[in-house]
Amino acid sequence: MRAVSFVERLEIDFHGGLFNQAVALGDVDNDKGNELVLGNIEGELAVYKGSKTTPWKKCADLGMITCVGVGDIHNNGKNNVVTLTAEGWCYLFDLSSDGLSEQVGKEYSEDLDRTIQPSFTQHLPANGKTMLMADVDGDGKVELVIGYSDRVVRSFRWHEATGKLQQGGKWQLTGQIGSMTVNLSADGIPELLVAQPGGTFVTLLPQIHTALEELLEEGEDTASQSLVYRYHPLASSRARNSSVTTEIVGCISRGPESQSNRASYYALVTLDGTMMLVEDDRILWSLQVDHQLFSLAKLDVTGNGREEVVVSSWDGQTYIVNHNREVVRYQFEESVAAFHAGHYSVVEGKNVPCFVYVTFSNRIYVYYNLYLPQVESTSLIEAMGNLTETQQLLARLNINTSSTSQLRQLYRWCLYGKHKSPKT
């Protein structure tokens, strides 16, 4: 295990409690650079841009915000901010320059310049706890999928003819919903996965898209059919607690050399400390720790094209695990209320890896320019052996490069000076 050093840190003051799903990173104004979006239980939405530690845009009195996201909800090639409240209100914000002009449209002060209003509002079923925006059925269009506290999952799609979100699918699950993700099958088809208690999950199977489009054309508001799903017991037999909360993340990149005819990786973590990397229902590795794991993400922190699994616990312990189960871990300085990993733009147009920690003391810390040379451990002999200059110098000294004992003796002398070997 090695400690992690961060290049830069932003410290943001944002009051109010946050749910873990109410933190998002994305290009909200379509300028190719990602911003940070936060929403609290007091109904305040704040967007942070660049190195500024005060909100770039803000909105208040929205209700108890449970989820925020950034995505092309209109399927028009332009991102919007989507905010969901516990009361069921779904707010869309258009933060592109044209959208801001439409919302304000008059001379205003600096404070008013920061204040935004929703470009669209719609009431959906209440008590949504997790939200996902993605193409979940492979038709090239983005859907809004919401998981509810009553164990129901609903999918919505923007319908241009009616100018609102229409419900497409509804699934009633048997266990409480942890989180949701999209993963690619071996044939490249996206699958919607939903975490279930005890390290298990289900694949939701949408089968009514043709019928749904017909209903929408006829002016029907929703398609209320209950769709089928496939249950994956996975680690239920080895779970410490069969009812413990589970989180899931999919489409973990294998790297540029990966085969196209293989399913992408997905990972699961449980609150009682189990991590797993999975391929097509086959557990590639599992790892158990003595910390309560509540947040799961993926991020390429080494720049090799392979995304690592990033996990945070309530007490601040953070793990970065590669595909071979090699781990970098470190202790964050405070207890963590919410955690997110992704890309953030401090320099205009340049997105860099970052971690976002939300603490219980109303502070948000953004660590950016986060790069590691590697996750796997290595030795001095191995590292020096990869340098051409080292091989040339060793040849001049008549050191046998294949003799580990000679190399170890030489490096010990270089580092610590010549001294007698301890008696055995």
Side-chain angles (χ1 to χ4, degrees), residues 321-342:
V321 194
N322 68 10
H323 298 177
N324 297 320
R325 209 184 74 159
E326 294 164 313
V327 185
V328 170
R329 72 174 180 182
Y330 67 96
Q331 181 67 49
F332 180 66
E333 58 200 42
E334 295 186 45
S335 296
V336 179
F339 173 82
H340 193 74

Side-chain angles (χ1 to χ4, degrees), residues 4-29:
V4 182
S5 60
F6 297 93
V7 176
E8 297 289 347
R9 182 175 88 167
L10 295 176
E11 188 173 337
I12 296 170
D13 189 9
F14 185 68
H15 292 271
L18 278 78
F19 290 104
N20 195 53
Q21 290 278 333
V23 182
L25 290 162
D27 182 10
V28 304
D29 56 356

Side-chain angles (χ1 to χ4, degrees), residues 129 151 173-179 194-202 231-237 239-248 268-272 276:
K129 59 181 290 189
R151 306 178 183 182
L173 305 184
T174 57
Q176 280 292 341
I177 297 166
S179 61
V194 181
Q196 293 283 272
T200 66
F201 69 97
V202 297
Y231 178 72
H232 304 259
L234 200 60
S236 58
S237 60
R240 302 179 187 178
N241 184 344
S242 61
S243 61
V244 71
T245 303
T246 303
E247 303 292 320
I248 189 169
L268 296 93
V269 300
T270 62
L271 185 62
D272 63 355
M276 293 172 285

Side-chain angles (χ1 to χ4, degrees), residues 72 85 158 215 229 235 246 292 304 333 341 347 354 384 386 391:
D72 183 10
T85 71
W158 181 263
L215 286 170
Y229 59 85
T246 303
Q292 291 187 317
N304 62 2
E333 58 200 42
V347 178
C354 77
M384 295 296 287
N386 293 328
Q391 304 303 313

Side-chain angles (χ1 to χ4, degrees), residues 28-140:
V28 304
D29 56 356
N30 303 281
D31 66 349
K32 309 303 182 183
N34 286 357
E35 288 78 32
L36 171 64
V37 186
L38 305 170
N40 64 21
I41 60 176
E42 283 77 22
E44 298 172 333
L45 180 73
V47 181
Y48 293 85
K49 187 177 180 68
S51 59
K52 300 293 185 182
T53 57
T54 55
W56 171 59
K57 301 296 176 184
K58 62 181 182 178
C59 187
D61 301 323
L62 296 176
M64 181 185 289
I65 298 174
T66 57
C67 307
V68 299
V70 180
D72 183 10
I73 190 66
H74 292 297
N75 289 292
N76 61 359
K78 189 168 65 173
N79 286 337
N80 281 251
V81 175
V82 180
T83 302
L84 183 68
T85 71
E87 298 84 2
W89 289 106
C90 180
Y91 300 101
L92 307 187
F93 294 86
D94 182 359
L95 299 186
S96 62
S97 57
D98 292 340
L100 291 174
S101 299
E102 292 172 2
Q103 291 178 46
V104 181
K106 60 181 180 179
E107 297 295 328
Y108 41 72
S109 65
E110 180 180 354
D111 188 62
L112 185 57
D113 183 21
R114 293 191 299 155
T115 302
I116 55 175
Q117 296 299 323
S119 58
F120 175 80
T121 303
Q122 182 175 339
H123 191 264
L124 303 176
N127 297 319
K129 59 181 290 189
T130 182
M131 182 177 74
L132 173 69
M133 275 186 290
D135 176 13
V136 300
D137 52 15
D139 64 353

